Amino acid sequence: MISALGVVIPVHGAIEPVLPLLDALLGEGVPDADRPAQVVVVDDASPHPVDAARLPEGVEFVRREVNGGFGAAVNTGIDHLTTPLALVLNSDLEIPPGFARTLVEHAAPWQPAVVGCRNADHSGRSGYAARVFPTTAHQVVEWLVPLAGLRHLDLLHRAVGHDMRAERGHGMVPVDWVSGAVMLLPVAQVRAIGGFDEGYFMYTEEVDLQKRLRGQGIPSLYDTDLTVLHVGGASSGGELRRRRWLVGARMRYARKHRSVVALRLGLTAASAVNLVWQTGRRLAGRDVDPLGAAREELSLIWTAGRDLPR
């Protein structure tokens, strides 16, 4: 048993897609040496409550009465841990045999630290789980529709904040932040800064957490020798709602750590470029709605996140 490790898996929705992950952690074929000391599943007020009887033996189950989003669910799970390390896993992951034990062993010389690893989809495409702290320039470049077809280029990857040095690195690579799909966290240090900021409902909460931990001298590292399969988007809902959560979260992060005014102005300028680009495509016969897209973008820029706690 990995005595130092507790696993936290937030869930919002059906439990069936999560069962293979739980089986990979605690199933009959898993050696004792690969089993975490605790596995906590947090039902974040799913519309149809998770049936705890469906969970494998050894899983601790907690149901939240209010859907607070990813960070709130992880905080709830960490509150139930008695271990010094917490491994946060998205519910839609597929992990290789011995994953938890290997990650803890690789991270041991660096502790206390936040540690993540590579993730990829079933086609082998990278999720670029290692990134640099976001800037206004990163998010403006990402907002520009004319550049969408060029995002396979290294220049564009770097321009939106992907850490390509880590992506092509070996061993444990220090980075600014790692994706929340897989995060090994030092529990005492996370609790000391108040855990995840629950003002983020979805997206950017792991960036904010690692930014605050960095201020306390806690590094983030990327384990390039481990890879998980990540489907992604399991609980995001429709695209417009997903974008509203994302933009709202970025506004909150900018308000806390940079300048929300600069971000709104930069994205507005990018939307003006998008309008000109889409108008040209419309004149060329493409089935696009330049004004409709511009209205949607501007609504997101100037209203998303205003209803979130400050």
Side-chain angles (χ1 to χ4, degrees), residues 56-294:
E57 183 179 356
V59 173
E60 301 174 42
F61 177 71
V62 183
R63 176 170 168 82
R64 289 174 48 85
E65 295 305 316
V66 177
N67 178 209
F70 179 81
V74 174
N75 283 344
T76 297
I78 288 176
D79 284 346
H80 283 75
L81 294 183
T82 59
T83 56
L85 295 175
L87 176 57
V88 179
L89 297 175
N90 272 21
S91 61
D92 54 358
L93 294 177
E94 295 179 23
I95 60 175
F99 172 78
R101 174 184 51 78
T102 305
L103 183 63
V104 169
E105 289 174 353
H106 288 184
W110 301 86
Q111 290 297 341
V114 179
V115 182
C117 71
R118 299 185 189 277
N119 70 56
D121 64 16
H122 286 278
S123 299
R125 290 174 298 200
S126 175
Y128 299 98
R131 306 198 182 190
V132 300
F133 286 129
T135 66
T136 297
H138 291 150
Q139 290 164 358
V140 168
V141 170
E142 191 175 54
W143 200 256
L144 286 167
V145 173
L147 299 180
L150 302 176
R151 289 180 184 161
H152 61 287
L153 300 176
D154 268 20
L155 179 63
L156 264 294
H157 280 298
R158 292 189 174 93
V160 299
H162 297 168
D163 190 331
M164 300 306 289
R165 174 188 57 88
E167 187 71 18
R168 297 197 173 96
H170 301 280
M172 298 289 278
V173 181
V175 296
D176 279 358
W177 66 276
V178 294
S179 164
V182 175
M183 282 187 300
L184 184 65
L185 300 174
V187 171
Q189 286 76 14
V190 170
R191 287 175 174 161
I193 64 166
F196 284 86
D197 177 350
E198 297 183 13
Y200 296 95
F201 183 76
M202 188 72 69
Y203 302 111
T204 311
E205 57 275 286
E206 77 270 41
V207 193
D208 176 87
L209 180 80
Q210 291 171 77
K211 182 79 167 177
R212 289 184 288 126
L213 285 170
R214 185 63 51 81
Q216 302 300 311
I218 306 300
S220 294
L221 298 124
Y222 185 59
D223 188 342
T224 66
D225 295 329
L226 287 173
T227 303
V228 299
L229 292 178
H230 186 210
V231 177
S235 301
S236 293
E239 177 62 16
L240 180 57
R241 183 169 64 166
R242 185 198 69 81
R243 291 186 77 195
R244 184 165 293 279
W245 285 341
L246 176 60
V247 175
R250 288 178 171 179
M251 294 300 171
R252 181 176 182 83
Y253 182 90
R255 188 179 296 118
K256 290 180 67 174
H257 301 293
R258 298 198 320 268
S259 167
V260 70
V261 173
L263 180 56
R264 284 200 166 105
L265 292 176
L267 294 180
T268 299
S271 287
V273 173
N274 292 344
L275 176 60
V276 173
W277 172 262
Q278 296 286 40
T279 299
R281 295 181 72 222
R282 178 67 178 267
L283 293 173
R286 300 295 179 88
D287 184 18
V288 295
D289 178 8
L291 289 177

Side-chain angles (χ1 to χ4, degrees), residues 282-307:
R282 178 67 178 267
L283 293 173
R286 300 295 179 88
D287 184 18
V288 295
D289 178 8
L291 289 177
R295 281 193 292 266
E296 181 180 304
E297 288 180 1
L298 292 174
S299 173
L300 288 170
I301 293 165
W302 292 97
T303 66
R306 288 191 179 274
D307 56 341

